[in-house]
Amino acid sequence: QFQLVESGGGLVQPGGSLRLSCAASGGTLEYYTIGWFRQAPGKEREGVSCISPGGRVTNIADSVQGRFTISRDSAKNTVYLQMNSLKPEDTAIYYCAAHTPTLGRWCTAGDMDYWGKGTLITVSS
């Protein structure tokens, strides 16, 4: 059974950093497109960043450009989201998700077949 589990969430002060992990079991992450999404209270889920099996990265949310970086460690079967210079508006539940690449699918919530349960990031002093 393919499963994604996020970890690394918690409380952080504005300007601080966190690294989220998305660990996979039952499948090899390198064969999937992986995305990070987030959903703040009362708001719709939005895409943050995606990485393809070939390592192509696209940042979906303009607000995270230059601050968030997605990466993959194939040996650990884990995808990371390094979050720097965190702002209160980054507060959200963060989800990792995956799909087997097919033509026309990339980095929207509707493209994803598998989802983790999410991890809460709270940015506050």
Side-chain angles (χ1 to χ4, degrees):
Q1 182 70 39
F2 186 62
Q3 186 175 352
L4 302 171
V5 179
E6 305 96 335
S7 62
L11 176 65
V12 63
Q13 293 183 332
S17 298
L18 285 173
R19 188 180 73 166
L20 303 183
S21 298
C22 176
S25 61
T28 301
L29 275 182
E30 197 173 33
Y31 299 157
Y32 294 81
T33 291
I34 308 298
W36 283 99
F37 297 80
R38 66 184 182 182
Q39 188 165 20
K43 297 184 179 179
E44 295 184 347
R45 188 171 300 182
E46 67 170 341
V48 177
S49 186
C50 285
I51 185 168
S52 76
R56 177 167 63 95
V57 169
T58 299
N59 293 319
I60 304 302
D62 291 339
S63 61
V64 311
Q65 289 281 1
R67 299 190 298 120
F68 291 9
T69 303
I70 190 171
S71 62
R72 180 179 62 228
D73 186 335
S74 295
K76 291 182 168 60
N77 208 29
T78 299
V79 168
Y80 303 98
L81 184 68
Q82 179 67 46
M83 306 186 296
N84 299 324
S85 302
L86 284 162
K87 304 174 181 179
E89 54 263 41
D90 295 319
T91 295
I93 298 174
Y94 284 71
Y95 301 88
C96 65
H99 70 81
T100 301
T102 57
L103 185 64
R105 302 175 77 186
W106 174 223
C107 193
T108 71
D111 291 331
M112 302 297 170
D113 296 317
Y114 308 98
W115 291 85
K117 294 182 178 180
T119 185
L120 177 63
I121 308 301
T122 302
V123 184
S124 176
S125 59

